[in-house]
Amino acid sequence: MHRRLGGRMVDFGGWDMPVQYPAGTIEEHLRTRKHAGLFDVSHMGEIDVRGADAIALVNYLTSNDAAKLVDGQAQYSALTTPAGTVIDDLLVYSFAGDHLLLVVNAGTTTKDWEWITSHHRDESVTLKNVSSDYCQLALQGPDALGILQKLTDLPLAEINYYHFVAGSVDGVPSIVSRTGYTGEDGFEVYAAADKAEQLWNKMLDAGNCGSDTGVLPCGLAARNTLRLEAGMALYGHEIDETTTLLEANLGWICKLNKGDFIGRERLAEQKQAGVHKRLVGFEVTERGIARDGQDVVINGERIGKVTSGSPAPYLKKNIGMAYVPTAVATEGRQIQIDVRGKPVSAQIVKTPFYKREK
Amino acid sequence: MANVPEDLHYSKDHEWVRVEGNTAVVGITDYAQNSLGDVVYVEVPKAGDVFAANESFGSVESVKAVSEVFSPVSGEVSGINEALNDEPEKVNQDPYGQGWMIRVEMSNPGEVDSLLTAAEYEDFTKAETE
């Protein structure tokens, strides 16, 4: 399907995924900010959790408080290690008090499944890896609501951010969630895997794909630049099993008073003692583009690492995120990035780099 | 289908060379710019820098990736395309024209003979795509 649209494919964690379509990453990125972009993110993993103690199990495994969810609400959270570091970040969807759906990253689905099942001792909870049952299409951008509304009777405008409803999209039973990974308003639509092509084509048609202001199919490269501008973490970059949630500025999803969960003790200690390193955003202030993995340098000393670095097509700046010692993690602080042997000046700035007008 | 002008010479690293007397004008091919995607940054050497054939003389960056560019011939850089500082997208829009990168005064013009012809380069890229 994506090849037919001229998508350039790469192997992404075993999935054959489009990096970009013929319009190119920059146009895909800008179109999503100004109008709409459509992303096939069916590679994401889904784990179904059912039973009277579903919330108790998820609350023990994750850092945010699943007990706070009302039916039809979704929550950003993380699977944590005893060290307070991150197995994966995820969305927890609450369908009912005894039915949750965990949406996890593609590359970590197997690891997550093994981790979750290894902590599952309560027979009243049923776990099911339903990743291959679902497709997921993300329609993002200011025009997303109007486009999707053409395909459904669901009152989309009434769905609040981080809430979802079940209903029919183009006749296909779907979950329509007002969530996304771009910093824009938009929806993520989950449906049966074999309906991906139908929904994809219908959303492109409904969005006047082909016109200069219509929806554009977008690849993984634009998904990455959009989330980076929006200051969102990407697993394997900003977060992994070596960095804690507090270091990653994700204290807001650490509900230390909700009761026991894996990593709670260590996170509470770290909160008390303070973190030694912290994730910051930076802007390159001279010619050059920082890239993932490059060193952060102050006065010739290597003090940190870039987790994501890229041109930011909407902001027209070169930006990135990096871990640096807490002592220097202040806005306005001048740093340098070692760009393939050449020191390039940068400045620590506040994140998100981009915030949409509401 | 990528554009491969008849009158140029090509390297297996996807650079092209236009011979003008003793000078080689160097850029990257249409196939290369298309594989890279939107070019957002081009780094070229200074005039006077000397490179051996197949030595890296700079880099081309797209949104997603950095690629080194290699000098297909040996010699001294006599000119650089400064317009690419402000308009790196010329590499995408006009790879064989306004997207040129450097001019090299060749120290061994015979090296050009070992580069690929247009037909050979076309076969080479087809093999790479398959």
Side-chain angles (χ1 to χ4, degrees), chain A residues 293-341:
Chain A
Q294 292 173 343
D295 286 336
V296 179
V297 178
I298 292 185
N299 299 328
E301 200 188 333
R302 291 172 194 277
I303 54 141
K305 277 227 186 292
V306 175
T307 53
S308 296
S310 168
Y314 185 82
L315 300 172
K316 296 194 169 54
K317 289 174 179 169
N318 296 320
I319 61 171
M321 293 198 269
Y323 277 103
V324 298
T326 308
V328 299
T330 49
E331 258 175 65
R333 177 80 193 210
Q334 302 296 317
I335 56 174
Q336 287 181 316
I337 311 297
D338 181 351
V339 178
R340 297 181 300 286

Side-chain angles (χ1 to χ4, degrees), chain B residues 10 27 55 71 90 113 118 130:
Chain B
Y10 298 88
E55 197 181 338
S71 181
K90 294 284 183 211
D113 298 332
E130 274 155 20

